[in-house]
């Protein structure tokens, strides 16, 4: 019977590949989520009530339902209803990005509203349109304040990728399950998986704290 250390060493290559998939999904999903989140966040700060209502409904629906249910809807529900197939990797990215976008939209909204209203008025008085003032004056100031929150959302989204094991994506958690199905060494493998998550997420946490201190100066 292999020692615990040998079991862990043998599992490292497979778990490392799973971690790379986890990171890939997290990065791609966050890029998409940032675009959607910015769009929804701007809708929630618009003057038009209809746009604000649409943005609010989107956020309420996404934040009001579990991510696991959203994964099932995207991977099983929608393809079944519309009679098509979707790749599990694409479905995973779609689920994580849509879920994260709702939280990022609130971060964008709060960041934009934290900028003094006089900044917008001053920009408009210089002849800029509202869109130009938002893009050139308000958003740069808001984003600077939002960076730590963005990093925190990245941490949450990375942990959320573990739920994608239910649709068979070979991310870190699923890689652990595959190894366990062959050696039944539950304790060693799950401890190693937890260490992988902890180390990477701890690095992101330290980066977030560094940014908070740096931006506070």
């Amino acid at each position: 019977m292999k020692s615990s250390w040998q079991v862990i060493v043998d599992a490292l290559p497979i778990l490392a590949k799973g971690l790379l998939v986890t990171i890939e999904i997290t990065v791609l999903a966050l890029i998409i989520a940032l675009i959607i989140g910015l769009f929804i966040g701007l809708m929630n700060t618009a003057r038009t009530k209809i746009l604000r209502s649409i943005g609010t409904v989107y956020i309420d629906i996404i934040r009001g339902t579990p991510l696991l249910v959203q994964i099932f809807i995207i991977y099983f529900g929608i393809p079944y209803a519309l009679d098509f197939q979707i790749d599990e990797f694409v479905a995973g990215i779609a689920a994580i990005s849509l879920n994260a976008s709702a939280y990022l939209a609130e971060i964008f909204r709060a960041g934009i509203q934290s900028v003094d209203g006089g900044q917008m008025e001053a920009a408009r008085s210089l002849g800029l349109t509202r869109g130009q003032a938002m893009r050139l004056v308000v958003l740069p100031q808001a984003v600077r304040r939002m960076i730590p929150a963005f990093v925190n959302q990245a941490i949450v989204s990375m942990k959320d990728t573990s739920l994608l094991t239910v649709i068979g994506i070979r991310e870190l958690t699923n890689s652990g399950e595959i190894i366990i199905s062959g050696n039944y060494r539950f304790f060693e493998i799950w401890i190693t998986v937890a260490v992988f998550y902890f180390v990477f997420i701890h690095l992101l946490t330290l980066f977030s704290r560094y940014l908070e201190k740096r931006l506070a100066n």
Side-chain angles (χ1 to χ4, degrees):
M1 184 176 180
K2 291 183 179 181
S3 66
S4 295
W5 177 247
Q6 187 59 50
V7 169
I8 293 172
V9 170
D10 291 344
L12 288 180
I14 297 176
L15 293 179
K17 289 181 181 179
L19 178 62
L20 290 177
V21 173
T22 292
I23 294 172
E24 184 180 3
I25 292 173
T26 302
V27 171
L28 292 175
L30 285 175
I31 292 173
I32 298 171
L34 281 170
I35 297 172
I36 299 174
L38 174 59
F39 183 70
I40 300 298
L42 290 174
M43 289 176 63
N44 282 349
T45 60
R47 293 179 176 179
T48 307
K49 186 176 181 180
I50 294 177
L51 290 178
R52 293 199 306 271
S53 298
I54 294 173
T56 300
V57 169
Y58 176 85
I59 292 172
D60 287 347
I61 290 175
I62 298 298
R63 294 179 63 176
T65 54
L67 174 56
L68 186 59
V69 174
Q70 295 167 16
I71 294 170
F72 286 148
I73 290 173
I74 292 173
Y75 187 66
F76 296 110
I78 295 176
Y80 177 80
L82 301 181
D83 193 24
F84 74 96
Q85 290 185 332
I86 184 172
D87 181 77
E88 62 269 13
F89 190 80
V90 174
I93 292 175
I96 298 297
S97 61
L98 288 176
N99 184 268
S101 69
Y103 295 92
L104 287 171
E106 285 293 270
I107 293 172
F108 275 114
R109 180 192 60 77
I112 291 171
Q113 292 179 345
S114 71
V115 177
D116 189 277
Q119 297 289 320
M120 174 65 77
E121 295 175 4
R124 294 299 302 275
S125 68
L126 293 175
L128 298 179
T129 64
R130 180 176 175 82
Q132 290 173 329
M134 179 65 71
R135 186 177 72 254
L136 301 175
V137 178
V138 177
L139 271 179
Q141 297 180 63
V143 168
R144 186 173 182 272
R145 303 175 184 182
M146 291 185 282
I147 289 176
F150 289 156
V151 178
N152 287 334
Q153 182 57 48
I155 292 171
V156 172
S157 294
M158 184 178 184
K159 290 189 288 187
D160 285 344
T161 60
S162 63
L163 294 174
L164 299 178
T165 187
V166 299
I167 58 175
I169 296 179
R170 289 202 175 186
E171 40 69 58
L172 183 54
T173 300
N174 186 260
S175 297
E177 291 179 338
I178 292 172
I179 295 170
I180 289 170
S181 68
N183 62 17
Y184 300 100
R185 301 296 287 268
F186 296 90
F187 180 77
E188 294 94 332
I189 300 303
W190 285 130
I191 286 295
T192 307
V193 169
V195 169
F196 268 77
Y197 277 116
F198 174 78
V199 170
F200 199 85
I201 290 172
H202 187 61
L203 291 175
L204 286 176
T205 302
L206 292 176
F207 180 61
S208 177
R209 291 173 183 170
Y210 166 78
L211 286 176
E212 288 181 15
K213 293 179 180 178
R214 185 70 181 270
L215 295 174
N217 296 331

